[in-house]
Amino acid sequence: MTDFLNTWGLTAVIFVPLIGAAVMMLIPEREEETHKLIALLTSLLTLGFVAALMIEFDYGDAGTMQFVQDKGWIDVINSRYILGLDGISIPLLALTVLIVPSVIVYSWHHIPHPGNAKAFLILNLILETGMVGTFLAQDLILFFLFFEVVLLPMFFMIAVWGGEDRRYASLKFFLYTLFGSALMLLGFLALFFLAKDPVTGAALHTFDMRALTASAGSGIVHSTQLWIFAAMFIGFGVKVPIFPFHTWLPDAHTQAPTQGSVILAAVLLKLGTYGFLRIAIPILPGAATTWAPWIGLVAVIGIIYGGLACLAQTDMKRLIAFSSVAHMGFVMLAIATMTPFGFNAAIYGMVAHGLITGMLFFVAGSVKERFHTLDIKRLGGLLISVPKLGWILGIVTMASLGLPGLAGFWGEFPAILAAYNPANGLSPSIFRTFMVIAALGTVLAAGYLLWLYQRVGMGEPSEEFAADPGITDVNTREWLAWTPLLALIVVFGFLPGLIFNVTDPAVVQILDNCLQNADGCTAVAQSALGRG
Amino acid sequence: MLAALVQAGGSFSRPSVDWHAASPELILLGVGVLITVIDVVWKQRARSLVVGLSSVGLLAALVPVVTLAVDGTPRSMFGGAFVVDDYALIMKAIFLLSAYVVVLMSTNYIAEGDYWENEYYSMLLTSVLGMLLMTSARDLISIFVALELLSIPAYMLATWRKRDLKSNEAGLKYYLMGVFASAIMLYGMSLLYGSAGTTLLTGINKAVSATDKPTAVVTLGVVFVLIGFAFKVSAVPFHTWAPDTYEGAPTPVTAFLSVASKAAGFVGLMNILFVGLIGRSDVYQPLIWILAAASMIVGNTVALRQTNIVRMLAYSSIAHAGYMLAPLAVVSADVVFAGGGSVVVADQALRATVTYLAIYAAANLGAFAVVIAVARKIRTAEIDGYQGLFRYAPGLTVLMTIFLFSLAGIPPLGGWFGKFRVLEALISPGTAWGSTLALLVVVNSVVALYYYGRVAVKMWVEEVPDGDMTPVRVPVSLAAALGLTAVATLAFGVGPGLIGHFTEVSLLAGIGG
């Protein structure tokens, strides 16, 4: 088993969902139960593989890539099939393979209109392949491919199973993301041609992320670096989404079916921030240092803008969507500090946001299913009409606003703290200003989330739903789907070390790497040593 | 006087013919003649035979292409006017396979159309014969002959539905524009010949690159030849015939024109550019840059407004011509040193265009095959007719989605690799012009996604307009065409090494560059 995991483990995790999807394609559509069963078993098998990998993983050495697989793929462009797992990927990989089975369990009785469980679940599994692949790929082209594979299934999930405005929302999502990723591809190509070996000075001509990280932009003129970074910035930034590229998100979230929203919020947004941590910053640390204040600026704009927009929303789902813009702002602010502390906070924030906002969308979906509306004005008194659902919503909103003892706290608080002391070479006064603004953002978050809960959870249930027999409390399927997420929100709230200990070595490794390369990133490296 | 002629004729010595190298063309010629003879002799009875015969002919011609590729040594005949190298072979294979798919698509369409079938197939084969010749032509005369050989049958194929006004319009427009373009090109060729004193492309390259600055005659010659090919590949502003011709011609013929005929134009252009004019990059680079940029921008923006799917695909094929022209705009004889390692920009550009052609061929043929299949039921090519297709023809919907998104360049479907190679070729020289064009390709890809995506949304999301849920009956041969193109599109996307291996070709060997 260990041998298998070492050589083919990561490939298995990526392609098991795809094999499951292929099997389902051969089974006729009317066998709905079979489809659900196969999808669930496939996603659980994937989860099992990841669990096995996490057991085998050498946590003492979390900074190095493990279970590496390196095979020839597209020789003519020097692109290889390289996979690897390190401390940065592990939490995100685990998050992904946990969310997908939850979504499938939730789908058991909740296939959105117009039905067709077969196609819906197949899309879920293809999505899983794309997401998992993105977190494991160590070759830029392979990364790009997986990054894009998620587009089509998500497009269809919104376009076919979405709400009223699904045509507009799905195309908007698709166009924005494609624009970003096409620019990103240009950046990758420029890296391919320009990156040089730091020791010999010879051109690398490779897409191998490990080699490019090792070269850390040496040999590329700083102004060119800035352009390449800008291309990747837009590519990843659209996905995160960073203000001002965020406008696709509220539409996509509002129109997507519950399952789509959950996956979108929990995992897809993380592909962008992961790209910053894994590719943009380690490969071009020099340019990243120059861009960092600007990233910090758009991050805090996102925090404040997202918060204000939330206050103005009348639709619960749209409110949660805008809160994502604000929360991802915290993650981006943490990344912009370029410190190990900030990076750790960013990864924590990503996982916490994934669990919490995923849960919020689940709850919103269940509310919509029972009350057939998400209009905050019409809802109310959930604690009376559906007390368990009301309590769950309460816990999750508290987690989302960063209450200590729940996971959200450890994403938000360290992010703000990291901005107090950014890496050497970055102006502390600018980042401390950002810190103050971000802190104000948490107040806003408390404001809109508490207000949401007050209007939806408390008060008397509205008369129009009084006699509706369809309004029942949380059912078994929902408990099955939600319990793991809720448990983790609490566990990570009390034991933040569970994630920090895994990510820290990898984060330090990334920032340390710059030490070997004098080019423009000494400042970053020094500060990494200082606090790493 | 007669005696003198005979005497002069006596000095003629038969050039040595490499029969192996010429066999793909000869097989096709033989089958074409056979079909004509059978047609004359058996008349009606021949109808059942021709389809099979032309399919077999196309596949049989593929056999020597494979054996020549296995053999691997470049062959040259007639003083270098006819060359068989890896580049010629991969293009021959693309033409033969595309034509085979077109035959599969035509089978029922032509048989049910109440028209004489036999001539259709013999003309199709003649046109393909011209394309095969074009891949090997390295001489102005053989290029021109090949071009006419592939064009003239195509004009007639476009008017195939002779009782249909639109089809007549299609053919007439295509013919007039085509002849006009040929005339301009021929004039340009005569100028090039006049300044070089030879029709051999290698000789022309020596002559035109002899001076530092281009002479006026050479400049005019290059410009006219380029304009001629710009018509053929339907590049803006020489594209005006394409939408009308595509809409009016029988759909299988449209597929043939938009894929094989366009590719043949590119092959001719690349032969002249890489072998004959590569030393004059100062003349052709700006021209091709403008053609490429204009084709992308105009093709995509006008496609946004189309309500007919064939016209939409016509404009999209104009845009694709732009993407395929783009790498040629950075071609020059220089070897560029990008970051210490040398990159042969010209080779990279050639590979990009060839790769793109192959992948585009699969997806575009597939898209037209779906159009034919769907038209069997809805009897229209209006995009609104595709509403709710998923409800009664889920298989066709999935296939159409694959083809459209491959054309849009969405991974993991084939198109992404073509776009990737184009971008790679544009970035590699590290020039501002190349990078700007790369940026234009990126922006245009996003614009294009909008109209492809809109069709997808119509098929998947909308309700069936007339509520008619009877499934679409897809005949076997059409299903085979769909299957072949879909498998190719997916395979190119997931394992691009597959096509990448075959497109590692070069045209520079001929000029010792």
Side-chain angles (χ1 to χ4, degrees):
Chain A
M1 188 66 185
T2 310
D3 279 349
F4 175 79
L5 285 180
N6 274 324
T7 47
W8 289 96
L10 298 182
T11 303
V13 178
I14 294 177
F15 290 104
V16 162
L18 208 57
I19 294 169
V23 171
M24 287 167 68
M25 281 179 202
L26 302 177
I27 299 171
E29 191 190 322
R30 57 179 182 280
E31 312 270 339
E32 268 202 25
E33 294 304 310
T34 323
H35 283 298
K36 288 171 185 164
L37 206 61
I38 295 177
L40 182 63
L41 289 178
T42 310
S43 63
L44 288 178
L45 185 63
T46 318
L47 181 64
F49 269 118
V50 171
L53 284 168
M54 285 172 75
I55 292 167
E56 285 289 321
F57 190 81
D58 176 5
Y59 290 93
D61 197 17
T64 17
M65 287 292 161
Q66 301 181 24
F67 312 110
V68 173
Q69 188 168 33
D70 186 347
K71 297 229 175 314
W73 183 41
I74 318 177
D75 299 335
V76 291
I77 57 170
N78 254 347
S79 171
R80 300 179 61 76
Y81 178 81
I82 311 173
L83 304 173
L85 183 68
D86 73 351
I88 296 181
S89 304
I90 279 199
L92 298 166
L93 177 67
L95 175 69
T96 310
V97 295
L98 181 73
I99 289 286
V100 175
S102 299
V103 163
I104 291 172
V105 171
Y106 183 82
S107 303
W108 219 269
H109 293 311
H110 297 87
I111 300 287
H113 178 80
N116 197 340
K118 174 184 177 183
F120 189 77
L121 293 173
I122 285 178
L123 287 185
N124 271 306
L125 291 178
I126 298 177
L127 263 174
E128 186 171 20
T129 290
M131 298 184 296
V132 168
T134 313
F135 290 132
L136 296 179
Q138 301 299 329
D139 176 283
L140 289 180
I141 299 306
L142 193 65
F143 174 88
F144 169 78
L145 206 69
F146 284 125
F147 194 80
E148 297 284 83
V149 163
V150 301
L151 280 185
L152 276 179
M154 189 43 90
F155 167 73
F156 284 116
M157 213 177 254
I158 302 174
V160 179
W161 288 273
E164 278 299 303
D165 235 354
R166 56 190 186 276
R167 299 167 189 80
Y168 171 76
S170 58
L171 266 181
K172 191 173 179 183
F173 158 77
F174 208 166
L175 290 171
Y176 265 68
T177 341
L178 182 77
F179 178 69
S181 49
L183 276 182
M184 177 180 93
L185 185 63
L186 277 190
F188 289 175
L189 275 165
L191 281 178
F192 175 82
F193 286 114
L194 297 175
K196 295 194 182 67
D197 188 298
V199 183
T200 61
L204 282 174
H205 282 200
T206 178
F207 289 110
D208 185 343
M209 280 148 69
R210 299 167 301 177
L212 288 169
T213 308
S215 97
S218 58
I220 309 179
V221 191
H222 191 69
S223 59
T224 316
Q225 281 198 29
L226 290 182
W227 280 107
I228 302 176
F229 192 90
M232 296 197 273
F233 176 79
I234 296 179
F236 297 133
V238 169
K239 203 87 170 188
V240 172
I242 298 178
F243 177 90
F245 309 121
H246 67 281
T247 62
W248 63 268
L249 182 88
D251 290 316
H253 265 316
T254 320
Q255 299 307 324
T258 305
Q259 293 88 334
S261 292
V262 171
I263 292 181
L264 199 57
V267 188
L268 290 207
L269 305 189
K270 278 67 196 179
L271 300 183
T273 37
Y274 174 79
F276 277 103
L277 286 178
R278 171 72 73 203
I279 296 174
I281 292 175
I283 294 182
L284 292 174
T289 324
T290 315
W291 276 106
W294 299 101
I295 301 178
L297 179 69
V298 288
V300 291
I301 292 180
I303 295 173
I304 298 299
Y305 176 89
L308 291 175
C310 280
L311 286 172
Q313 297 309 315
T314 56
D315 181 286
M316 188 169 153
K317 226 173 162 189
R318 216 173 158 82
L319 189 149
I320 303 171
F322 272 109
S323 83
S324 277
V325 177
H327 281 119
M328 293 314 275
F330 284 105
V331 174
M332 285 314 296
L333 178 63
I335 291 177
T337 64
M338 305 274 290
T339 57
F341 190 53
F343 281 16
N344 282 321
I347 300 170
Y348 208 102
M350 284 149 77
V351 176
H353 175 264
L355 293 170
I356 296 167
T357 312
M359 263 318 294
L360 276 174
F361 277 117
F362 268 137
V363 173
S366 289
V367 168
K368 166 103 184 184
E369 203 202 2
R370 289 168 171 80
F371 296 88
H372 306 289
T373 180
L374 281 171
D375 190 351
I376 299 174
K377 273 204 286 292
R378 289 174 62 196
L379 295 169
L382 287 194
L383 282 171
I384 295 173
S385 55
V386 276
K388 286 174 192 151
L389 193 63
W391 273 107
I392 291 175
L393 179 66
I395 293 169
V396 189
T397 41
M398 293 309 134
S400 184
L401 64 83
L403 192 75
L406 296 169
F409 174 75
W410 295 106
E412 225 163 86
F413 180 65
I416 299 173
L417 215 56
Y420 182 76
N421 217 346
N424 292 357
L426 299 175
S427 152
S429 55
I430 292 181
F431 273 86
R432 280 172 201 173
T433 318
F434 291 161
M435 181 183 88
V436 174
I437 302 174
L440 286 175
T442 59
V443 179
L444 275 179
Y448 62 74
L449 284 165
L450 288 175
W451 194 30
L452 169 76
Y453 193 55
Q454 188 195 16
R455 286 179 293 173
V456 175
M458 300 176 184
E460 286 296 318
S462 143
E463 303 238 327
E464 59 176 313
F465 305 117
D468 192 335
I471 296 177
T472 51
D473 216 341
V474 183
N475 60 38
T476 324
R477 299 288 175 203
E478 286 167 336
W479 277 123
L480 278 174
W482 296 349
T483 311
L485 306 187
L486 289 169
L488 283 178
I489 290 175
V490 177
V491 170
F492 286 144
F494 282 104
L495 302 169
L498 281 180
I499 297 181
F500 281 139
N501 290 343
V502 179
T503 57
D504 193 55
V507 163
V508 171
Q509 165 76 24
I510 278 184
L511 288 167
D512 244 5
N513 170 61
C514 305
L515 190 64
Q516 281 113 45
N517 307 283
D519 233 9
C521 55
T522 27
V524 183
Q526 278 162 3
S527 82
L529 275 194
R531 251 163 298 125
Chain B
M1 192 180 150
L2 205 64
L5 268 180
V6 170
Q7 199 125 55
S11 69
F12 174 80
S13 62
R14 196 176 66 87
S16 71
V17 175
D18 182 342
W19 295 105
H20 191 187
S23 45
E25 283 85 354
L26 292 177
I27 290 176
L28 216 52
L29 183 65
V31 176
V33 170
L34 192 63
I35 289 180
T36 315
V37 171
I38 290 178
D39 180 31
V40 172
V41 178
W42 284 350
K43 303 210 169 65
Q44 276 299 336
R45 271 195 301 156
R47 287 185 78 150
S48 50
L49 264 178
V50 279
V51 181
L53 205 56
S54 34
S55 311
V56 169
L58 288 165
L59 293 181
L62 205 57
V63 173
V65 171
V66 173
T67 57
L68 282 166
V70 170
D71 179 53
T73 45
R75 296 147 187 264
S76 169
M77 276 192 275
F78 310 125
F82 186 93
V83 173
V84 177
D85 51 12
D86 285 347
Y87 159 78
L89 287 173
I90 178 69
M91 287 315 301
K92 277 178 216 249
I94 292 174
F95 285 132
L96 288 170
L97 288 172
S98 311
Y100 177 66
V101 173
V102 170
V103 169
L104 288 178
M105 286 158 67
S106 310
T107 313
N108 289 73
Y109 189 96
I110 298 296
E112 292 163 12
D114 193 26
Y115 294 109
W116 200 241
E117 292 170 70
N118 304 3
E119 285 143 22
Y120 177 90
Y121 292 102
S122 52
M123 272 192 251
L124 193 71
L125 291 191
T126 316
S127 190
V128 177
L129 178 62
M131 292 167 186
L132 294 194
L133 278 177
M134 183 64 101
T135 60
S136 294
R138 301 287 188 278
D139 173 282
L140 290 182
I141 294 179
S142 48
I143 286 179
F144 188 73
V145 170
L147 190 70
E148 294 303 298
L149 187 59
L150 74 91
S151 296
I152 293 171
Y155 302 145
M156 292 192 274
L157 287 174
T159 52
W160 197 250
R161 295 186 301 167
K162 57 190 168 200
R163 285 184 282 276
D164 180 273
L165 211 54
K166 278 205 161 169
S167 183
N168 282 300
E169 181 198 342
L172 198 63
K173 268 195 181 152
Y174 187 31
Y175 168 70
L176 288 175
M177 291 297 204
V179 171
F180 184 53
S182 294
I184 293 178
M185 186 191 301
L186 202 55
Y187 185 46
M189 284 178 169
S190 73
L191 292 175
L192 288 179
Y193 170 66
S195 59
T198 171
T199 55
L200 268 186
L201 294 181
T202 44
I204 290 176
N205 187 48
K206 276 202 198 75
V208 297
S209 11
T211 52
D212 251 3
K213 291 237 176 303
T215 59
V217 173
V218 169
T219 309
L220 266 186
V222 174
V223 172
F224 283 174
V225 168
L226 278 188
I227 289 179
F229 280 112
F231 268 105
K232 204 67 219 168
V233 303
S234 65
V236 174
F238 308 104
H239 66 287
T240 44
W241 59 272
D244 292 336
T245 302
Y246 285 9
E247 190 189 355
T251 321
V253 175
T254 307
F256 183 68
L257 293 181
S258 72
V259 169
S261 177
K262 189 188 285 275
F266 269 102
V267 168
L269 178 63
M270 291 191 289
N271 290 353
I272 288 203
L273 217 57
F274 282 86
V275 188
L277 303 174
I278 194 156
R280 273 275 77 90
S281 51
D282 48 350
V283 180
Y284 64 75
Q285 273 191 357
L287 275 173
I288 295 186
W289 199 98
I290 293 169
L291 286 175
S295 305
M296 282 183 234
I297 295 169
V298 173
N300 280 323
T301 36
V302 180
L304 290 175
R305 306 272 306 158
Q306 300 307 313
T307 55
N308 179 302
I309 197 151
V310 176
R311 287 186 81 85
M312 189 199 91
L313 286 172
Y315 281 105
S316 106
S317 88
I318 291 168
H320 283 283
Y323 303 142
M324 290 186 262
L325 276 171
L328 305 181
V330 295
V331 168
S332 68
D334 316 326
V335 173
V336 169
F337 293 90
S342 66
V343 178
V344 183
V345 174
D347 271 348
Q348 213 148 30
L350 180 77
R351 287 164 196 170
T353 304
V354 172
T355 310
Y356 203 110
L357 274 172
I359 296 171
Y360 163 81
N364 218 41
L365 285 174
F368 276 111
V370 176
V371 171
I372 293 172
V374 174
R376 292 172 65 86
K377 182 186 173 209
I378 65 172
R379 296 283 152 210
T380 167
E382 290 300 310
I383 295 179
D384 280 342
Y386 283 72
Q387 291 184 357
L389 191 67
F390 182 63
R391 312 247 185 267
Y392 58 89
L396 283 175
T397 310
V398 170
L399 287 171
M400 189 61 160
T401 312
I402 288 176
F403 298 133
L404 289 181
F405 284 132
S406 173
L407 288 172
I410 308 293
L413 309 167
W416 80 270
F417 189 63
K419 287 250 166 61
F420 176 87
R421 297 234 71 178
V422 166
L423 292 176
E424 185 190 19
L426 288 172
I427 299 260
S428 67
T431 58
W433 287 107
S435 310
T436 319
L437 208 50
L439 212 57
L440 273 178
V441 172
V442 165
V443 173
N444 271 290
S445 309
V446 180
V447 175
L449 176 66
Y450 179 75
Y451 57 79
Y452 295 128
R454 212 184 37 170
V455 177
V457 168
K458 283 225 155 87
M459 294 189 302
W460 287 84
V461 179
E462 307 291 344
E463 295 297 325
V464 187
D466 53 2
D468 178 6
M469 300 286 274
T470 46
V472 180
R473 203 182 60 80
V474 182
V476 181
S477 60
L478 195 55
L482 286 166
L484 281 176
T485 47
V487 167
T489 304
L490 284 170
F492 290 157
V494 181
L498 205 74
I499 180 77
H501 173 70
F502 291 112
T503 53
E504 280 302 281
V505 292
S506 173
L507 263 174
L508 301 180
I511 55 160

